[in-house]
């Protein structure tokens, strides 16, 4: 038999392989080479986390006890996939358009972004999933123990240390690959790929053991069938009520389990994958269940009577001394357990951090989102802590329950608990009248009934509930007996619990929905969810208004990261036809922004954060009347009208802005003409007068002569520079420049620019910080011209930054595939209304007049960048003045 140490080595190697696969897939995805990572097959295989260790090992055990009943666990999902995949498609579509991050987020979003509902579902999920995680840890420890009777002999301590290290390993894996990025739209390719691999391993393991049993132990299929016929399993009768209940339950669990929601909806990258999954996954389930009966029957016949049927998959190959096969079976069970725990931990941690930790954190810091501090780091930290917390809970549960048989029944009990979400979920996406109050009451009622009739009794009649509670009810109230609610006796306990919890849950949900009046947001969200295919895009929600785009940008930068936020805002601005990085704050934009943020912090929190900035009003009286109007046509018509009038308003505003700009420019130009004649005349006058003095032949000292000539010299230089600038600009504008293209790197060009502007500290020089980042990016451009732009920006920072300790940060990075160079100083920045203007010829911000310069520098920069195929723009929201130079793209490529 395989030694215990060899087993540990193989298990560690397998884990290393999983890390490598996940790492490889993640880095591939990062480089944008998705390829088959997003194939429907990988998606289908990832669904297999439905089959946990409980199914891998337990199905055989179940078959020895209850015959064909184990099939129901596979029938439920099969029915959903084949018969009702339109439902899944609807969920996936809603998930994508609303950027849903978890099942708690789905329920919370649908019912007016109510965080209370988010919390209820999260708590329910944690309570329902913890024992399930404990069950997986138990199965791994048990399977280790099979190989090492000695370790088992050491008792629970030896075993639980295995469980402990497995849990630690899972925490590390999940944190490494599950919290790499915040945005749910960037999926966890590493995790999903590793899980797909595990799916193949567990299927291969079961089939291999099955084939071995059928062809090597028994004499082929016919013999197996005869053995089944002769075994006690054949005496099993179908109990229709249990059968139907179990199918319903597994179907509900397939949709409602947090981890299933994670793989089906959140990790889905393409709606069409569902079409493949709808036949391929039932096929997978069929293959995985194919050999369950043969293994059970042969196990019963050949293994000693006291052997645990739950481990036949593993003990059979061992009994026949098949080391390789038993190893494979072990890895199959290990895969089933670990993949479930990883995805469950990701799903739960998202829910816990978005619905519990983040709201508390936001509340604790009253100023909310706009205060300093990086929300993004907090979210990631909250997720990591939640992952560790979830696994710690599972481990504790495993320790406290003593890893005993109580755990084995946990699988179905967890299913019943999580199925309580079903009425609120289905009601939410099919019934516009469903309300938050209804959903909350239904969930709480279902949760309570489940706890009373399944969860608490599962600890046995001497643990939490005493035997007398079972026989006479609490305080002697017979109607409340946990297994005979309302005096209905004789039902199977499972059927009893499902029946009452679902009935009372749905009843309360419908009743309270009818009795309560939905808030406007609920009405809007209700309509969007129910009609998701008609209105895949936006529904009215925000009324635009009071928010400054810059405040929103500052908040968004903290949540999704500066680069992503800037790209988003810039894209929106371009869509609206504005230059620069700040779009108009329109309702549409707010909606999109909210959805974007929802991907990182959950819908309810995103909504609250935007509401904080826009002043808390998200729906006006007008909207209220609009949604009160049930007639869809009128609604749509008025929507269109409103959109048109908003559009008109915006166009008018843009026109006015353009007009203002023209006026200001023309004033500036007049100013410039008098200025330039003044600037030309001043040096001219002094040149003339000093040269007259020199020519006059008067007696003067050598120093005076020297001084007069150097004044003439300096003034001449100033004149030349002014004329040079004017000339340069006119050449650039007329497009008569010849570019001197050559290969170079950003670093070299920057080095030259910095050297050219270097002045000693004392002489007012600015401190320059370089953040090297992507400075090695290759260039193929006119680097002298580019250096001219850099020099101008550095010189401007030197001239205009009024900070006590002036500093300039130069950062080179890649944004949306293009190399950009950001010049950010720590001065007062440039007022919003002047940010566009400074790029125009002759324009200066008034109080800077003293610093000299004719206001041509930035205009020249813009012309140069346009000639080179890049851009330069003012970057708002950075504290001081900040300019972003986007380097030419195609040119950079050509150099590769
Ligand atoms: P100039 O030739 O006058 O420096 P520019 O076109 O380079 O003209 O700049 C236009 C105006 O923009 C300047 O007059 C100044 O008011 C403002 N400006 C440019 N850079 C900065 C900066 N780093 N900090 C503050 N203001 C700046």
């Amino acid at each position: 038999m395989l030694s215990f140490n060899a087993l540990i080595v193989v298990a560690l190697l397998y884990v290393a392989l999983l890390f490598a696969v996940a790492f490889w897939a993640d880095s591939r995805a990062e480089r944008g080479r998705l390829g088959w990572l997003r194939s429907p097959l990988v998606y289908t295989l990832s669904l297999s986390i439905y089959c946990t260790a409980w199914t891998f090992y337990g199905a055989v055990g179940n078959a020895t006890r209850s015959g064909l009943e184990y099939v129901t666990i596979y029938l439920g999902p099969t029915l959903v996939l084949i018969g009702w995949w339109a439902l899944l498609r609807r969920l996936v579509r809603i998930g994508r358009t609303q950027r849903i991050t978890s099942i708690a987020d789905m329920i919370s979003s649908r019912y007016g972004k109510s965080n209370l509902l988010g919390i209820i579902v999260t708590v329910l999920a944690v309570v329902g999933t913890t024992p399930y995680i404990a069950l997986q840890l138990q199965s791994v420890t048990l399977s280790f123990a099979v190989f090492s009777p000695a370790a088992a002999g050491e008792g629970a301590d030896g075993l639980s240390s295995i469980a402990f290290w497995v849990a630690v390993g899972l925490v590390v894996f999940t944190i490494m690959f599950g919290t790499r990025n915040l945005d749910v739209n960037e999926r966890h390719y590493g995790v999903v790929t590793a899980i797909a691999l595990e799916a193949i391993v567990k299927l291969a393991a079961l089939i291999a053991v099955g084939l071995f049993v059928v062809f090597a132990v028994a004499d082929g299929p016919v013999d197996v069938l005869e053995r089944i016929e002769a075994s006690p399993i054949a005496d099993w009768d179908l109990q229709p009520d249990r059968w139907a209940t179990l199918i319903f339950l597994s179907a509900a669990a397939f949709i409602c389990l947090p981890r299933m929601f994670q793989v089906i909806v959140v990790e889905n990258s393409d709606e069409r994958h569902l079409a493949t999954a709808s036949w391929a996954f039932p096929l997978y389930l069929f293959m995985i269940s194919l050999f369950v009966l043969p293994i059970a029957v042969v196990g019963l016949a050949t293994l000693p009577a006291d052997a645990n049927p739950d481990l036949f998959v593993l003990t059979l190959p061992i009994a026949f001394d098949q080391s390789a096969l038993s190893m494979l079976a072990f890895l199959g069970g290990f895969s089933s357990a670990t993949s479930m725990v990883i995805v469950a931990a990701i799903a739960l941690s998202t829910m816990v951090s978005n619905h519990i930790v983040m709201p508390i954190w936001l509340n604790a810091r009253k100023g909310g989102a706009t205060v300093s501090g990086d929300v993004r780091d907090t979210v990631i930290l909250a997720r990591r802590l939640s992952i560790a917390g979830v696994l710690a809970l599972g481990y504790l549960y495993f320790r406290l329950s003593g890893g005993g048989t109580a755990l084995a029944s946990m699988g179905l009990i967890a299913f019943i608990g999580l199925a309580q979400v079903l009425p609120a979920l289905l009601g939410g996406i099919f019934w516009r009248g469903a309300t938050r109050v209804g959903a909350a009451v239904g969930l709480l009622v279902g949760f309570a009934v489940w706890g009373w009739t399944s969860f608490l009794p599962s600890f046995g009649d001497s643990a939490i509930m005493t035997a007398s509670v079972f026989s006479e009810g609490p305080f002697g109230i017979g109607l409340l007996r946990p297994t005979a609610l309302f005096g209905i006796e004789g039902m199977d306990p499972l059927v009893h619990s499902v029946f009452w919890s679902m009935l009372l849950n749905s009843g309360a949900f419908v009743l309270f929905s009818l009795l309560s009046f939905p808030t406007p947001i609920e009405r809007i969200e209700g309509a969007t969810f129910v009609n998701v295919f008609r209105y895949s895009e936006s529904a009215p929600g925000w009324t635009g208004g009071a928010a400054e785009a810059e405040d929103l940008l500052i908040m968004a930068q903290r949540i999704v990261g500066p680069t992503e936020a800037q790209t988003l805002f810039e894209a929106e601005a371009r869509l609206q036809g504005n230059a620069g990085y700040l779009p108009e704050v329109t309702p549409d934009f707010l909606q999109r922004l909210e959805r974007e943020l929802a991907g990182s912090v959950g819908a309810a929190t995103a909504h609250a954060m935007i509401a904080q900035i826009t002043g808390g009003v998200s729906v006006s009286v007008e909207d209220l009347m609009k949604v009160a109007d049930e007639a869809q046509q009128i609604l749509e018509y008025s929507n269109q009208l409103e959109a048109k009038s908003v559009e008109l308003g915006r166009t008018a505003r843009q026109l006015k802005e353009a007009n203002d700009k023209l006026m200001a420019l023309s004033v500036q130009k007049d100013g410039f003409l008098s200025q330039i004649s003044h600037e030309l005349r001043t040096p001219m006058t002094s040149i003339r007068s000093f040269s007259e003095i020199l020519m006059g032949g008067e007696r003067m000292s050598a120093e005076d002569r020297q001084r007069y000539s150097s004044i003439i010299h300096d003034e001449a230089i100033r004149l030349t520079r002014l004329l040079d600038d004017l000339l340069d600009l006119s050449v650039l504008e007329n497009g008569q420049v010849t570019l001197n293209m050559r290969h170079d790197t950003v670093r070299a060009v920057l080095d030259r620019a910095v050297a050219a502007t270097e002045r000693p500290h004392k002489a007012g020089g600015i401190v320059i910080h370089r953040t090297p980042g992507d400075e090695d990016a290759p260039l193929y451009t006119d680097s002298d011209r580019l250096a001219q732009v850099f020099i101008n920006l550095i010189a401007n920072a030197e001239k205009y930054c009024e900070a006590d300790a002036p500093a300039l940060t130069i950062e080179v990075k890649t944004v949306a595939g293009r190399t950009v160079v950001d010049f950010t100083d720590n001065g007062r920045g440039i007022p919003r209304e002047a940010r566009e203007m400074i790029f125009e010829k002759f324009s200066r911000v008034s109080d800077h007049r003293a610093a000299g310069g004719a206001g041509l520098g930035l205009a020249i920069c813009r012309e140069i960048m346009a000639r080179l195929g890049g851009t330069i723009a003012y970057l708002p929201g950075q504290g001081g003045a900040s300019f972003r130079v986007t380097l030419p793209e195609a040119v950079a490529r050509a150099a590769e």
Side-chain angles (χ1 to χ4, degrees), residues 42 72 86 148 317 336 384 389 508 542 581 659 689 711 717 737 860:
V42 172
T72 53
S148 162
S336 321
R384 296 192 166 154
W542 295 99
Y581 286 86
N659 194 31
S689 34
I711 292 179
I717 287 184
V737 272
I860 293 179

Side-chain angles (χ1 to χ4, degrees), residues 154-373:
E154 285 167 27
D157 275 345
L159 288 184
S160 55
S161 81
I162 294 181
F164 177 76
W165 288 113
V166 170
V168 170
L170 286 168
V171 170
V172 173
F173 184 92
T174 315
I175 287 182
M176 264 181 77
F177 299 105
T179 58
R180 287 200 127 189
N181 43 41
L182 267 185
D183 191 343
V184 274
N185 255 19
E186 293 163 28
R187 301 184 163 73
H188 306 110
Y189 287 105
V191 174
V192 170
T193 313
I195 280 168
L197 175 69
E198 295 200 293
I200 297 174
V201 171
K202 63 192 181 197
L203 180 63
L206 264 187
I207 290 187
V209 174
L211 290 175
F212 169 73
V213 162
V214 172
F215 292 101
V217 182
D219 295 328
V222 180
D223 179 39
V224 168
L225 284 180
E226 277 166 8
R227 286 184 190 220
I228 293 177
E229 206 51 47
S231 81
I233 293 177
D235 299 335
W236 164 82
D237 318 297
L238 187 143
Q239 289 166 270
D241 53 346
R242 237 185 108 80
W243 185 264
T245 308
L246 282 171
I247 292 182
F248 164 77
L249 208 53
S250 54
F254 185 68
I255 305 166
C256 297
L257 286 176
R259 63 172 195 278
M260 293 314 297
F261 192 87
Q262 177 82 24
V263 283
I264 296 179
V265 177
V266 182
E267 302 285 348
N268 178 291
S269 54
D270 187 340
E271 221 169 278
R272 285 167 302 182
H273 291 174
L274 274 174
T276 310
S278 74
W279 60 265
F281 190 62
L283 186 67
Y284 183 93
L285 290 178
F286 173 75
M287 290 197 290
I288 218 165
S289 60
L290 192 60
F291 290 106
V292 168
L293 267 191
I295 297 175
V297 172
V298 173
L300 280 180
T302 52
L303 292 176
D306 63 346
N308 179 1
D310 280 330
L311 288 173
F312 277 179
V313 176
L314 199 53
T315 42
L316 261 176
I318 294 180
F320 287 91
D321 239 356
Q322 297 287 328
S323 304
L325 192 59
S326 51
M327 193 69 237
L328 185 60
F330 169 80
L331 288 182
F334 186 75
S335 301
S336 321
T338 50
S339 52
M340 175 271 164
V341 177
I342 290 166
V343 182
I346 292 181
L348 286 184
S349 72
T350 313
M351 289 155 73
V352 171
S353 81
N354 285 355
H355 296 284
I356 298 181
V357 182
M358 287 311 289
I360 293 179
W361 184 79
L362 273 180
N363 252 344
R365 336 170 15 119
K366 268 287 173 278
T370 43
V371 194
S372 66

Side-chain angles (χ1 to χ4, degrees), residues 796-797 799-800 825 830 838 843-845 848 852-858 881:
N796 272 357
K799 277 192 283 183
Y800 302 117
D825 66 34
I830 292 177
I838 48 174
S843 66
R844 295 184 292 195
V845 182
H848 289 143
L856 294 177
L858 288 174

